[in-house]
Amino acid sequence: MSIGILALQGDFEKHQQAIEACGHEAVLVRRPDEVGGLDGLIIPGGESTTIAKLIDRAELAEPIQALAARGAPILGTCAGMILLATDIEDYDQPTLRLINATVRRNAFGRQVDSFETDLDVAGIDGEPLRAVFIRAPFITEVGPDVEVLAEFEGTIVLAREGNVIACAFHPELTEDPRLHQFFLAAGRTR
Ligand code: GLN
């Protein structure tokens, strides 16, 4: 498969390495004409306000929405999760609206900027997944078609609506390929 990594800002290189380690081609995406031939797309962590502005400037929203509409797997991690959600709490910012969910930015508070924990993930077998959270959001509300895949202390940190996966943590920062493999298998017609 040819998997795009949105490379406008943030930690796209680690995702590129993770996809290559899974045996697939990883293409850094910065322009609309680079989206059409993809079999999937990752929107990395970074600063969601900045990435949103750059998506707008590069006119990338429509091609990404079209890719999602034809069933290609889409993964948003951390800031990427914020950009996939339909709504951001107390924040008026356009998003891609690809998963019916409300997110809260910097949801774990300023004191706990980052932390790691082990998560049980629905659909991922074996030992719990090590999850690295960095100024992470979480999901406060989901629509009826959204499947909650993992929670941390009662908050939703991983969810899926069909081929679209929203992940509050950074699977690209561990050596464990299972979340990227799960994403690669998530494509289907909605
Ligand atoms: N706090 C960032 C935001 O709101 C997300 C942090 C991250 O992607 N690691 O955009």
Side-chain angles (χ1 to χ4, degrees), residues 11 16 21 45-47 50 66-67 69 93 97 124 129 145 170:
D11 71 335
Q16 184 180 27
E47 189 53 47
T50 306
L67 182 68
Q93 179 189 276
R97 305 179 62 82
I124 294 186
L129 196 76
D145 297 327
H170 288 266

Side-chain angles (χ1 to χ4, degrees), residues 45-48 78-79 82 105-106 134-135 170:
E47 189 53 47
S48 57
C78 203
I82 298 169
R105 292 185 63 204
N106 302 313
I134 303 169
R135 291 185 301 112
H170 288 266

Side-chain angles (χ1 to χ4, degrees), residues 87-159:
D87 296 280
I88 307 172
E89 261 187 24
D90 304 319
Y91 217 76
D92 189 18
Q93 179 189 276
T95 62
L96 296 166
R97 305 179 62 82
L98 292 177
I99 188 166
N100 188 358
T102 303
V103 295
R104 183 179 301 171
R105 292 185 63 204
N106 302 313
F108 294 97
R110 289 268 161 217
Q111 301 97 308
V112 241
D113 251 11
S114 49
F115 60 96
E116 292 187 29
T117 190
D118 291 318
L119 291 178
D120 288 319
V121 176
I124 294 186
D125 293 333
E127 60 195 48
L129 196 76
R130 190 77 182 155
V132 181
F133 290 80
I134 303 169
R135 291 185 301 112
F138 59 60
I139 294 176
T140 56
E141 251 184 271
V142 289
D145 297 327
V146 176
E147 204 183 331
V148 173
L149 301 177
E151 294 185 51
F152 173 70
E153 293 181 348
T155 65
I156 301 168
V157 292
L158 184 64

